[in-house]
């Protein structure tokens, strides 16, 4: 499939969904590879382990990609371990999609580095991705006045 065919299938496909290949990475822990399929897949020398997850790609809002969610089972894999190890260096990348013919088409658009992770009672990890908000931050973060800086105000 070409990139346009992949995006048309993902965007306009209705009930049609393509299994994603995802990579979860942290420099200290290493990488975990998963495919939303019933069999393992080898791609670029890495084995993507069959898993049950739902990846909702980010939507373009105002010309900017926003949000996105990964809901993945924590049963029989190390997802919770990599999240516990994680800090600001943890990232999730959607590497490609597996089409119905069994071929893999690479997608290099979706790389997530910011978000929150929670678990539920069914051992499902839900990672909600957010955008980098550093450009919206105020510097300095504190306003000094007579209340919080009495000696120099």
């Amino acid at each position: 499939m070409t990139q346009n065919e992949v995006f048309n299938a993902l965007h306009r496909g209705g009930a049609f969904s393509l299994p994603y290949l995802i990579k979860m990475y942290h420099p200290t822990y290493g990488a975990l590879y998963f495919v939303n399929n019933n069999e393992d897949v080898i791609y670029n020398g890495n084995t993507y382990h069959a898993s049950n997850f739902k990846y909702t790609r980010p939507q373009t809002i105002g010309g900017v990609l926003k949000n996105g969610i990964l809901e993945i089972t924590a049963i029989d894999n190390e997802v919770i371990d990599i999240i516990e190890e994680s800090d600001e260096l943890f990232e999730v990348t959607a590497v490609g999609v597996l089409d119905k013919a069994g071929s893999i088409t690479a997608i290099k658009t979706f790389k997530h580095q910011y978000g929150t992770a929670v678990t539920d009672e069914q051992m499902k990890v839900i990672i909600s991705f957010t955008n980098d908000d550093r450009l919206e931050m105020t510097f300095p973060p504190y306003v000094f006045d007579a209340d919080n800086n009495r000696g120099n105000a």
Side-chain angles (χ1 to χ4, degrees):
M1 295 178 85
T2 66
Q3 286 283 345
N4 286 338
E5 290 171 337
V6 168
F7 287 114
N8 283 336
L10 292 172
H11 184 67
R12 297 187 191 114
F16 179 73
S17 76
L18 296 174
Y20 281 95
L21 282 76
I22 61 167
K23 173 185 173 185
M24 301 174 86
Y25 175 76
H26 186 272
T28 305
Y29 190 86
L32 298 175
Y33 300 92
F34 298 105
V35 61
N36 193 13
N37 195 17
N38 55 1
E39 330 181 304
D40 293 351
V41 173
I42 297 175
Y43 179 67
N44 283 346
N46 298 311
T47 301
Y48 288 80
H49 299 284
S51 183
N52 183 18
F53 65 85
K54 179 183 176 188
Y55 174 71
T56 305
R57 64 187 185 89
Q59 302 298 316
T60 304
I61 300 171
V64 178
L65 286 174
K66 294 197 177 202
N67 303 326
I69 297 174
L70 174 65
E71 298 177 14
I72 186 167
T73 183
I75 298 173
D76 198 29
N77 62 36
E78 302 170 358
V79 170
I80 290 180
D81 296 337
I82 195 170
I83 289 175
E84 286 180 352
E85 180 75 24
S86 69
D87 51 16
E88 67 275 358
L89 302 175
F90 174 72
E91 60 186 52
V92 176
T93 306
V95 177
V97 293
L98 180 68
D99 67 13
K100 56 186 169 187
S103 62
I104 297 170
T105 304
I107 55 174
K108 298 180 181 178
T109 306
F110 310 120
K111 179 178 177 182
H112 306 285
Q113 195 168 354
Y114 302 99
T116 58
V118 296
T119 58
D120 66 7
E121 62 276 354
Q122 288 129 6
M123 290 298 292
K124 182 170 47 172
V125 176
I126 303 166
I127 304 173
S128 301
F129 303 111
T130 59
N131 288 352
D132 182 2
D133 65 347
R134 290 179 289 178
L135 293 177
E136 298 169 4
M137 292 181 179
T138 305
F139 185 81
Y142 303 107
V143 175
F144 294 109
D145 58 17
D147 290 329
N148 62 11
N149 191 15
R150 293 183 187 269
N152 294 322

